[in-house]
Amino acid sequence: MQKEKRVAIIGGDARYLPLIHTLNKTNEINLELIGFDQVEQSYTGVKQSTLEELKPEQLDAVILPITGIDDKGYAEAVFSKQELQLTKDWFKRLPSHCLVFTGIANQTLLDSVKIKGNKLIKLMERNDVAIYNSIPTAEGAIMLAIQHTDITIHQSEVFVYGFGRVGKTTASAFKGLGAKVTVVSKDETDIARAFEQGYTVCHLSESIKLIENCHVLVNTIPAKVINKPILEKMKSDAIVIDLASKPGGTDFDFAKARGIHAIHALGLPGLVAPKTAGEILAFQIQKFIFSS
Amino acid sequence: MQKEKRVAIIGGDARYLPLIHTLNKTNEINLELIGFDQVEQSYTGVKQSTLEELKPEQLDAVILPITGIDDKGYAEAVFSKQELQLTKDWFKRLPSHCLVFTGIANQTLLDSVKIKGNKLIKLMERNDVAIYNSIPTAEGAIMLAIQHTDITIHQSEVFVYGFGRVGKTTASAFKGLGAKVTVVSKDETDIARAFEQGYTVCHLSESIKLIENCHVLVNTIPAKVINKPILEKMKSDAIVIDLASKPGGTDFDFAKARGIHAIHALGLPGLVAPKTAGEILAFQIQKFIFSS
C-alpha cells in the first residue's frame, strides 16, 4: 500500500471544485484546502485551513491556482476573501521533495521553487494537458457554431486555421458532424497529416482564394492571420470563432465593420465542461504525485 | 427550356423565408406571396398579393403553411394580420393539375383537394423530409447536451432510445464527437443495424440494467418509455433530451421531482438551422413541381 500523501490546494477557481472532488476519491491523498471558505459544498474528510494553520514542512505537494502566484507571491482564490501570500520564506519551509503544481509560472514562482529545489509542474504548458483540454474547447466551438449560424454544421464549409493541438481536435469534431472541413496551415508537415486524415488542405498563403466559400472559420493560430484581406472576401453571414489566446488572430474591429460575427472564445473548457476540465487536471496531478 | 411555373405561397412561418429565397433563385418559378406583408425583407421579382388579387385558376402549385389549414379553411400566416380563408369554393377554382403542398393535413384539407382531384403533398409525413430534418434536430440535441452538462460529450455515455429516422442521425452525431453511444430499441432489425454500425445495443426491456451509467439520454420513441423506473435508476446529474413529438416519451413530472433535468426539445430545425430547414422544404417542393 502506498504511503498517504499530504497535498495542499492554495487558491483556485471553479475548475478546482471537480479537481478537489476527484483527488478526494483517492484514499492515499490527504487534502487540505486553503482559500475555499466560501464554497457551500463540503467534502468528507477534507480539512479547510488557513495559510497560518498549514504546515508546509509536512507537504508532499502544493497545488497553486492555474494562474500561479503574482509578482508579490499572492495566489488568487475565487472562493475566499483571505489574502494568500506565499513569500520566499514560506517556500523555504517546503521539503525539497514537495511537488509544486501551477498552470503557468512567472519569474517570482520560478525563483521561489529554486530555493529548495522543488520540482515545478506547469500544467498548462504540458502537451498532454493541452491535448486533453482541446476536447472541451472543440465542443465549445461546435456549440457556438450551432448557436450562431442558421445552417447545419453538416455539409457546411468549415475552415480550421492551424493544425496543432487544438486545430486537430476541432477539425475532427466538425468532421464528425459531417462538415466539409478545410485545414489551413503554413506547416508542410501539418498539411501532409491533415491531407492523410482526409481533410481538404490549403496553405495559409493560398486560403484567400477559397475563403469566400466558408461558413464557419475557426482560428487557432496565435498571429494576425484572419486579417482584412481574408475578412473582405468572406460571406457576411459567415462566422469567425477565434480560439487563439489573447489577443487572438482576428482583426475584430474590421470584422465588426464588415458585419461579420467574430467571437473570441476563451476559457471554453471551464465554460462547457468544468467537471471534465477539473478532472483533466486531477488525473495529471495524481500521476505526478504517485510516480514521485 | 421548361415552362415557367406559377406558384403561390399562402401563409407560413419563419422557415418560409429561406424557402421563398431558395425558390426565387429558380428562374422557372413565378412566385406570388400571400400573408407576408409584415416581412421587412423584399425579394426581387416576387409579387406580394392578397388572397383577393390571387387568381387560383392560373396556378401550378400552392404552398400552404406546415400546419395546413384549420377546420374552417384558415391558413396560419405568422407575417400577416390578413385572414386567409381557403374555402371549398376557392379550391374549386384550382386547375386539376395544380399541386398542393402542406406539412400535415386534416380532414378539411383532404376533402378540399378531392373536389378537383389535386395532388396533395404532405411534406412532414415524407420519409425523406423527416431524414433531412433529422440532421438539424440531431445538432440541436448536441447543442443542448453541451450546454446542459458539465462534462464533455467525448467519452460520455449517451443512450439513444429509438433507431428510426431521428435516432439513427442522433446516434451518429454523438458518435462523431467521440461519445460512447448505446442504442436502445425493441425492434430486432434496428438492434441488428445499430450493432453493425458499431454501437453498444440494448433491448428496451433491458435498458434499466444499464441506465445508471448514462450521462445523456436522448429519446426519440413516441411512447412513455422514459418512465419512473428508468428515471429512478439514473444519475441525478444526467440529462434527458426528449425529441419525440408531443407529449414526448418522458415522465417529466417525475423527472422534475427526482431532480433530473429533462428537456422536451421540439422544433429544433427551425431553431438551430432555419435556413437549412427552409431549404430542405424548398428542394422537395422544386422536385415535385418540375417532375409533374
Side-chain angles (χ1 to χ4, degrees):
Chain A
M1 200 185 130
Q2 280 175 304
K3 188 180 148 283
E4 195 171 76
K5 304 280 188 177
R6 301 185 68 100
V7 178
I9 302 183
I10 305 176
D13 60 25
R15 280 171 285 190
Y16 277 46
L17 304 181
L19 185 155
I20 293 165
H21 188 80
T22 307
L23 290 182
N24 193 34
K25 282 192 281 193
T26 311
N27 286 328
E28 293 78 28
I29 288 182
N30 184 331
L31 263 190
E32 202 163 343
L33 307 183
I34 294 97
F36 290 88
D37 39 286
Q38 292 175 356
V39 175
E40 284 174 28
Q41 210 173 347
S42 78
Y43 302 92
T44 322
V46 175
K47 191 175 165 194
Q48 293 249 19
S49 302
T50 62
L51 203 52
E52 291 67 40
E53 291 164 353
L54 180 71
K55 296 189 176 68
E57 296 80 4
Q58 301 176 349
L59 293 175
D60 296 302
V62 175
I63 302 171
L64 300 175
I66 291 299
T67 46
I69 54 174
D70 72 8
D71 293 344
K72 289 178 175 157
Y74 284 101
E76 206 178 1
V78 170
F79 298 106
S80 178
K81 283 188 180 149
Q82 295 175 47
E83 301 242 299
L84 305 175
Q85 192 182 19
L86 303 175
T87 60
K88 294 233 160 79
D89 279 341
W90 187 88
F91 277 96
K92 226 178 257 176
R93 294 168 62 192
L94 291 175
S96 62
H97 78 275
C98 177
L99 301 172
V100 178
F101 293 94
T102 184
I104 51 173
N106 59 4
Q107 198 55 47
T108 308
L109 181 53
L110 292 173
D111 291 343
S112 301
V113 295
K114 261 184 208 155
I115 304 170
K116 293 288 282 288
N118 295 100
K119 184 170 179 179
L120 181 70
I121 297 112
K122 291 168 277 184
L123 293 164
M124 287 302 161
E125 292 180 14
R126 291 180 55 81
N127 266 323
D128 52 358
V129 175
I131 292 171
Y132 289 123
N133 263 324
S134 72
I135 302 167
T137 299
E139 292 191 7
I142 292 280
M143 183 187 78
L144 292 171
I146 297 176
Q147 283 174 333
H148 295 289
T149 60
D150 55 4
I151 55 171
T152 52
I153 302 228
H154 181 268
Q155 290 291 311
S156 68
E157 296 274 356
V158 177
F159 281 61
V160 177
Y161 279 68
F163 202 60
R165 300 170 303 196
V166 177
K168 280 191 181 77
T169 312
T170 308
S172 158
F174 277 94
K175 190 182 173 190
L177 289 180
K180 295 184 270 184
V181 178
T182 300
V183 170
V184 181
S185 172
K186 61 178 182 181
D187 182 306
E188 295 296 346
T189 306
D190 287 344
I191 290 176
R193 179 59 66 199
F195 174 78
E196 173 274 318
Q197 292 182 0
Y199 299 106
T200 303
V201 290
C202 174
H203 193 278
L204 186 57
S205 62
E206 302 280 308
S207 72
I208 196 160
K209 295 180 189 164
L210 300 174
I211 204 66
E212 62 186 327
N213 300 318
C214 174
H215 297 114
V216 177
L217 189 162
V218 182
N219 177 53
T220 71
I221 301 176
K224 268 282 177 307
V225 289
I226 314 306
N227 49 25
K228 206 171 148 179
I230 292 282
L231 290 163
E232 266 174 342
K233 284 260 186 176
M234 288 179 74
K235 283 191 234 286
S236 62
D237 60 352
I239 67 160
V240 175
I241 301 170
D242 197 334
L243 304 175
S245 40
K246 277 182 189 169
T250 305
D251 186 336
F252 288 100
D253 290 336
F254 185 73
K256 198 173 175 187
R258 171 84 175 73
I260 290 176
H261 191 177
I263 304 164
H264 196 189
L266 296 176
L268 287 174
L271 208 69
V272 302
K275 192 173 168 192
T276 306
E279 285 172 355
I280 289 168
L281 297 175
F283 291 133
Q284 292 297 320
I285 290 170
Q286 281 175 338
K287 233 171 37 186
F288 276 96
I289 289 178
F290 293 114
S291 68
S292 69
Chain B
M1 202 186 127
Q2 279 174 304
K3 188 181 149 280
E4 194 171 77
K5 304 279 186 176
R6 301 185 69 100
V7 178
I9 303 184
I10 304 176
D13 59 25
R15 280 171 286 191
Y16 277 47
L17 304 182
L19 185 155
I20 293 165
H21 188 79
T22 307
L23 290 182
N24 193 33
K25 281 193 283 192
T26 311
N27 286 329
E28 293 77 29
I29 289 182
N30 185 332
L31 266 188
E32 202 161 344
L33 307 184
I34 294 96
F36 290 88
D37 39 287
Q38 291 174 358
V39 175
E40 286 175 26
Q41 211 172 345
S42 77
Y43 301 92
T44 322
V46 176
K47 191 176 168 193
Q48 293 249 18
S49 301
T50 62
L51 204 52
E52 291 67 40
E53 291 165 351
L54 180 72
K55 296 189 174 69
E57 296 80 5
Q58 299 175 350
L59 293 174
D60 296 302
V62 174
I63 302 172
L64 300 174
I66 291 298
T67 47
I69 54 173
D70 72 9
D71 294 346
K72 289 181 175 153
Y74 285 100
E76 206 176 3
V78 170
F79 299 106
S80 179
K81 285 190 179 146
Q82 295 175 46
E83 299 243 300
L84 304 176
Q85 192 182 16
L86 302 176
T87 59
K88 295 233 160 78
D89 280 340
W90 187 88
F91 278 97
K92 223 178 262 178
R93 293 169 60 193
L94 291 176
S96 60
H97 79 276
C98 178
L99 302 172
V100 179
F101 294 94
T102 183
I104 52 173
N106 60 4
Q107 199 54 50
T108 308
L109 182 54
L110 292 173
D111 292 343
S112 300
V113 294
K114 260 184 211 154
I115 305 171
K116 293 288 282 287
N118 294 100
K119 183 169 181 180
L120 181 69
I121 297 113
K122 291 168 276 183
L123 292 164
M124 287 301 160
E125 291 179 16
R126 291 180 56 81
N127 266 324
D128 52 358
V129 174
I131 293 171
Y132 288 123
N133 262 324
S134 72
I135 302 167
T137 299
E139 293 191 7
I142 292 279
M143 183 186 75
L144 292 171
I146 297 177
Q147 284 175 332
H148 295 288
T149 60
D150 55 5
I151 55 170
T152 51
I153 301 226
H154 181 267
Q155 290 290 310
S156 68
E157 295 276 356
V158 177
F159 281 60
V160 176
Y161 279 68
F163 202 60
R165 301 171 299 195
V166 177
K168 281 192 181 77
T169 311
T170 308
S172 158
F174 277 94
K175 189 183 176 191
L177 288 181
K180 294 184 271 184
V181 178
T182 301
V183 170
V184 181
S185 173
K186 61 177 181 181
D187 182 306
E188 296 295 347
T189 306
D190 285 345
I191 290 177
R193 180 59 66 198
F195 174 78
E196 173 272 319
Q197 292 182 358
Y199 298 106
T200 303
V201 289
C202 175
H203 193 276
L204 185 58
S205 61
E206 303 279 309
S207 73
I208 196 160
K209 295 179 190 165
L210 300 175
I211 204 67
E212 60 185 330
N213 300 319
C214 175
H215 298 114
V216 177
L217 189 162
V218 182
N219 177 54
T220 70
I221 302 176
K224 267 284 178 303
V225 290
I226 313 306
N227 50 25
K228 206 171 148 178
I230 292 281
L231 290 162
E232 264 174 345
K233 285 260 186 177
M234 287 179 75
K235 284 192 233 287
S236 62
D237 59 353
I239 67 161
V240 175
I241 300 169
D242 197 334
L243 304 175
S245 40
K246 276 182 190 171
T250 305
D251 186 336
F252 287 100
D253 290 338
F254 185 74
K256 199 174 175 186
R258 170 86 175 72
I260 290 175
H261 191 176
I263 304 163
H264 196 189
L266 297 176
L268 287 175
L271 209 67
V272 302
K275 191 175 167 189
T276 306
E279 285 172 353
I280 290 168
L281 298 175
F283 291 133
Q284 293 297 321
I285 289 171
Q286 281 174 338
K287 234 168 41 186
F288 276 97
I289 289 179
F290 293 113
S291 68
S292 68

